[in-house]
Amino acid sequence: LTLEKSADPLVVKQRMLIADGLMEEILSKAYNDPGVGHTATGQRQYYDDINDYSGFHMEGIRSIDGTPIPELAEYNVSVSVTPATLPNGTVARLVRIEVKVNRYDDYVLESYRTAYE
């Protein structure tokens, strides 16, 4: 069992890079919906604010335009965006990205985003 869940360095690195890249993409978006550009298509390339990513799920990693990346077909990603309040009282949103692959433990990356725009 220990060998089964042992940390394969390649898998560890890929999960981190997937989560980091997606987090960077999400945090670069507007805090509030700017009211232009996004449609209800569910296509990531049209997401224009962080709330658009809430509930986002990807089976097999794809580029932002939806092109599958065959080498990462076994990886799955889930995103949640929830309201939060920081200890100093600042209103924020908690972005949580979970990356899963086969028999390995989930990799979770979390970050807070405030309305600093």
Side-chain angles (χ1 to χ4, degrees):
L1 183 63
T2 302
L3 290 177
E4 213 173 286
K5 291 190 119 197
S6 67
D8 178 335
L10 179 61
V11 172
V12 170
K13 185 70 169 177
Q14 285 175 325
R15 291 183 306 179
M16 289 172 50
L17 291 172
I18 291 165
D20 286 345
L22 188 55
M23 184 65 78
E24 184 177 334
E25 175 186 324
I26 294 169
L27 296 181
S28 73
K29 303 298 181 180
Y31 183 80
N32 292 309
D33 188 352
V36 294
H38 173 69
T39 60
T41 62
Q43 295 176 339
R44 187 169 127 222
Q45 64 204 44
Y46 299 113
Y47 290 177
D48 60 4
D49 67 272
I50 64 173
N51 284 321
D52 289 341
Y53 290 86
S54 187
F56 176 74
H57 183 76
M58 184 170 27
E59 302 240 353
I61 303 304
R62 299 173 177 275
S63 66
I64 196 165
D65 69 359
T67 304
I69 302 171
E71 298 81 9
L72 302 176
E74 296 179 11
Y75 292 75
N76 300 310
V77 174
S78 297
V79 177
S80 65
V81 179
T82 55
T85 303
L86 301 179
N88 67 0
T90 301
V91 174
R93 295 198 178 105
L94 172 63
V95 178
R96 184 177 197 273
I97 298 173
E98 187 174 341
V99 181
K100 299 179 180 187
V101 61
N102 294 333
R103 65 186 182 276
Y104 296 95
D105 293 332
D106 299 349
Y107 178 80
V108 176
L109 181 63
E110 294 181 332
S111 183
Y112 290 95
R113 172 70 156 56
T114 61
Y116 57 77
E117 306 167 309

